Amino acid sequence: MADIKPVNAISVHSIPVPAALWSTDSRTIVEANPEWEALSDKNCFNSERLSDTEGSQFVYNNRTYMLKRKKVENGIDFLMIIPGKELQSEKKEEGPNPPLSVIYPSLIRNTPTCVCVIDKHGVLTEMNESFKNLFRLTDHALGEPLCQRPAFKNPDFVSLVTKGIEGKNAKNEEVTFTIDGKQTYTCHLTISPADFNEQGAVDHVGIILHDISEKKKYENELISLKVELENTLKLQKTITYKVKKHNEDFVIEMAAGELLKKLDISPSNVIGKTIQEVFDSFHLGKIQPKLKKIWETGEELTYEDKYRGLEYLASIVPVKKNGEVTKIICSIMDISLIKDIQRELIETQEKYRSIVQYSPDNIYMLDTEGIIQEVNPAAEDQWTSHSSDMTGRHYSDFITEDKREETIHNFERSLAGEATRYMTTLVDKDGGKSHVSFTNIPIRVNDKVIGIYGVGQDITARIKMEEELKEAKELLEAYFEHAGDGIALLDPVGNILKVNQHFESMFGWEEHEIIGRGITLLHQEGQVSQFKQNLKTVKAGKRIKDFETVRYRKDGSPVEIAFNLNPILKDSGELIGISAIIRDLSEKKRNEDLLEKSEQLAMIGQLAAGVAHEIRNPLTTIKGFLQLMKESAEDDFHLKVIQGELDRIEIITNEFLALAKPRAVKFSLTSLTSLLTSSVEFIKMECLKQGVDVRFSVEEAEIHCDSHQIKQVVLNVMKNALEALPNGGLLNVQLEKEKTFAKISIQDNGAGIPPERMKHLGEPFYSTKEKGTGLGLMICQKIIKEHNGSISIQSNVNEGTTVSLLLPIAGKE
């Protein structure tokens, strides 16, 4: 469009009374509406009146008119003619006139105007019905001071009444009254002194009140509407221009609107010019054909276009007179913001479509009946169905029967306007099930729910993980409660939070008795300082491992223990607790004593066997020669003495041999699992000292055996394995079932035994050890044989040795 600039955002054509734009420079009308042109044709006012007059009145066709003027910009005035009242005929009807003494009281009583009279003391003496109704008064108010009533204590009103009593008039004074403390009325007040006495003082004052509350209300509403209209016009930023055909061209007669400022166009630069002078050739080629077509056909036209970067909506309306087009009014609205919003909306829709299309969560839309309207690809994958197979079906068709009622309940809650989140189970077309967390979101249009958006997240893996975590938790709790060691959970200062059953049985305290108490209840006074030092170490994030000491039971009896203290930390490294694992060493100490005694007995047995063998060989020779001497000797006294002493030596030798033999076997049903576990626990300390790692795995098995002898065999074999690992290594102990036998495998990764020595193992007085006697393995073989078992040894040089013990399982011999 061309350089068009308005003189006013409001077209004179929108004014319902005669209105026009007046050029003060040329003293001519720039633009006028049809009402002005109809009146101007009557020649009822001239250019002098239009140039200089404000508020002048004139009479036309027995009606008064007033001219109003307002400057809208330099050189342009806005003129408006407001019609007044019709004049009454000068000729009056003749007839008898009633006396004034009758007219005035009747007029005051019947007028809707509020009227009252007070005397010179302000006492109410008269009032009409309108006054009573407005101020909710009765005749009891007569004779009372008016201004002392609550509704009349307004200071402005009291001041005016006082002046009236002093003889001063008041006219059209605006006063607001509050009645009953809540309802307000605004009135125009007229006060007139009356009934002057002989001295000229006022005896009575008349008060007339015109209720203008409704008028004020309408005025305020009108002002608000006017402000709102002006703001709306400013926000709309429109252009209105009028075009009239002149010869074969179109001339712009009027241009107005705030939008012209945005285009930097002044109305004075375009009014009176042809469209060829205003528009460039490109835009002229668009506008001129439209104007010609409208001028010829008289049809309205609306279209969108762009000019100087401005996107606009144009509405072209022909003005007809006697069926012919005389003018064309074109209104242009800036729709750049709307177009931006449309583009943003399209972009938002594309973003939404992308979110829905590529979301890893399955998304669907339901109508109010629960029928699927739309699904995204993720939902197709989740439900293993194509969208065409899903749309048009009820969503509950894809829910497992046990979850259907809950799912429908959540759908109904969403229809009531509440967003819901719940978990359910989907079944696909192949019968596969998956756990899904759904969120139902109501779709609202004009505050009415028209459907439901559903967003589903596959939580099958999470549910499985939760179940595994639950199972792990149960396992941990079972381990905690049934562990072979005593376990206590402490807070960071050493107070007991929880203990397991073994802890209770170890120390004689029940959990409820010690919860919240310090772990130092197990200590004697001299041990508290050591515990504080240990606590300080743990708070620093360090562990205390296999600390052997003595603690005391509830009854005060001592118990030898080894404990581990471990810090329990948050991800941030903050200490939130301490775990104390306490092992009862009583059995271990007993086993150590047993082993020590066994070794002593073994040593005695070895010594006895050695002495017996060493003595019996020469003793046999002596006895042989002594027998020969007896046959040739005559006096056998001394020989008998020698024979008696030799027999005594033989008895002592046999006693040595008896001492070296194992004791009588005593069988009982024994858990080989527990026996092997206690043996491994017994040997662990020696392993730790030598830097040997222990691997231990068992199955449950029971045998009939002498537990002390079997334990002696196991300990002897494990001790031999440790002696083969002087520089550390690996000791692997395993218990497994082989048909009707329990197999114990004890394996080390030491130097191994050469093949030439393997064949002599188990022979008396043959040993691979420097100081060994060879009786240990022989005794072990004898014990295993007495238990209907077998022992086998496999060894490879530089790889290690494996000793396997086979013992029949109870009831399966």
Side-chain angles (χ1 to χ4, degrees), residues 704-774:
H704 287 290
C705 70
D706 185 321
S707 60
H708 295 288
Q709 288 191 347
I710 296 299
K711 193 166 189 178
Q712 181 182 350
V713 171
V714 171
L715 289 173
N716 189 50
V717 174
M718 288 195 292
K719 185 178 179 183
N720 289 340
L722 281 179
E723 290 174 352
L725 299 169
N727 298 318
L730 174 65
L731 176 62
N732 188 6
V733 181
Q734 185 175 359
L735 171 60
E736 57 185 350
K737 295 179 182 178
E738 282 191 1
K739 298 182 180 179
T740 61
F741 287 88
K743 180 181 179 181
I744 301 173
S745 300
I746 301 172
Q747 181 184 18
D748 65 73
N749 61 348
I753 304 172
E756 61 270 22
R757 291 193 174 190
M758 281 288 295
K759 61 183 178 181
H760 296 293
L761 291 180
E763 295 179 359
F765 302 103
Y766 182 85
S767 175
T768 60
K769 306 173 189 174
E770 183 179 349
K771 298 182 181 179
T773 64

Side-chain angles (χ1 to χ4, degrees), residues 557-569:
S557 60
V559 54
E560 292 184 278
I561 65 167
F563 67 78
N564 294 276
L565 293 182
N566 300 296
I568 302 173
L569 307 174

Side-chain angles (χ1 to χ4, degrees), residues 311-544:
E311 293 180 281
Y312 66 87
L313 173 67
S315 177
I316 304 177
V317 180
V319 179
K320 298 180 181 180
K321 189 174 183 179
N322 298 326
E324 293 184 0
V325 177
T326 58
K327 297 176 184 178
I328 295 177
I329 306 296
C330 181
S331 296
I332 297 173
M333 178 183 294
D334 182 3
I335 58 172
S336 301
L337 180 59
I338 296 174
K339 286 295 184 180
D340 289 340
I341 293 173
Q342 287 179 345
R343 283 187 286 268
E344 289 178 4
L345 182 59
I346 293 172
E347 183 179 354
T348 301
Q349 289 175 340
E350 290 298 322
K351 289 179 179 178
Y352 163 76
R353 187 174 289 107
S354 297
I355 291 172
V356 172
Q357 190 76 10
Y358 301 109
S359 173
D361 297 332
N362 53 72
I363 301 175
Y364 58 88
M365 186 177 72
L366 309 176
D367 64 13
T368 55
E369 299 298 325
I371 304 302
I372 299 174
Q373 303 297 311
E374 183 180 351
V375 296
N376 71 339
E380 294 179 331
D381 295 339
Q382 176 81 40
W383 297 350
T384 64
S385 297
H386 193 270
S387 60
S388 59
D389 298 328
M390 299 170 67
T391 53
R393 295 178 60 184
H394 199 275
Y395 73 96
S396 62
D397 293 346
F398 300 93
I399 308 297
T400 56
E401 188 172 351
D402 59 317
K403 293 289 186 179
R404 196 165 295 168
E405 183 177 349
E406 178 187 359
T407 303
I408 292 175
H409 173 68
N410 282 283
F411 173 76
E412 291 173 348
R413 286 173 57 194
S414 300
L415 281 182
E418 178 184 356
T420 60
R421 183 178 284 110
Y422 61 97
M423 289 188 295
T424 190
T425 305
L426 289 179
V427 56
D428 58 34
K429 68 177 183 180
D430 300 322
K433 296 181 180 180
S434 57
H435 300 284
V436 181
S437 174
F438 275 118
T439 300
N440 283 350
I441 304 170
I443 305 173
R444 297 177 182 271
V445 175
N446 296 327
D447 204 30
K448 181 181 179 182
V449 177
I450 64 168
I452 302 294
Y453 273 126
V455 181
Q457 185 177 16
D458 188 355
I459 57 171
T460 306
R462 193 185 83 188
I463 293 294
K464 183 179 179 181
M465 186 180 297
E466 288 176 353
E467 291 174 351
E468 291 175 352
L469 288 174
K470 183 180 178 181
E471 183 179 350
K473 180 182 177 184
E474 291 173 352
L475 289 173
L476 287 174
E477 289 178 349
Y479 169 77
F480 179 83
E481 288 298 332
H482 305 293
D485 296 329
I487 303 176
L489 298 180
L490 313 177
D491 66 13
V493 297
N495 293 324
I496 298 172
L497 300 174
K498 187 176 180 63
V499 297
N500 68 348
Q501 295 177 2
H502 199 79
F503 183 97
E504 293 177 332
S505 61
M506 187 185 301
F507 294 103
W509 294 95
E510 293 186 9
E511 186 179 51
H512 67 86
E513 296 179 300
I514 56 177
I515 293 298
R517 298 178 62 180
I519 193 68
T520 51
L521 61 85
L522 305 179
H523 299 63
Q524 287 190 340
E525 186 176 350
Q527 298 174 318
V528 174
S529 59
Q530 178 62 47
F531 173 74
K532 290 182 179 178
Q533 184 63 36
N534 291 338
L535 191 63
K536 185 176 180 181
T537 302
V538 174
K539 285 184 176 180
K542 300 178 181 178
R543 300 174 59 191
I544 296 176

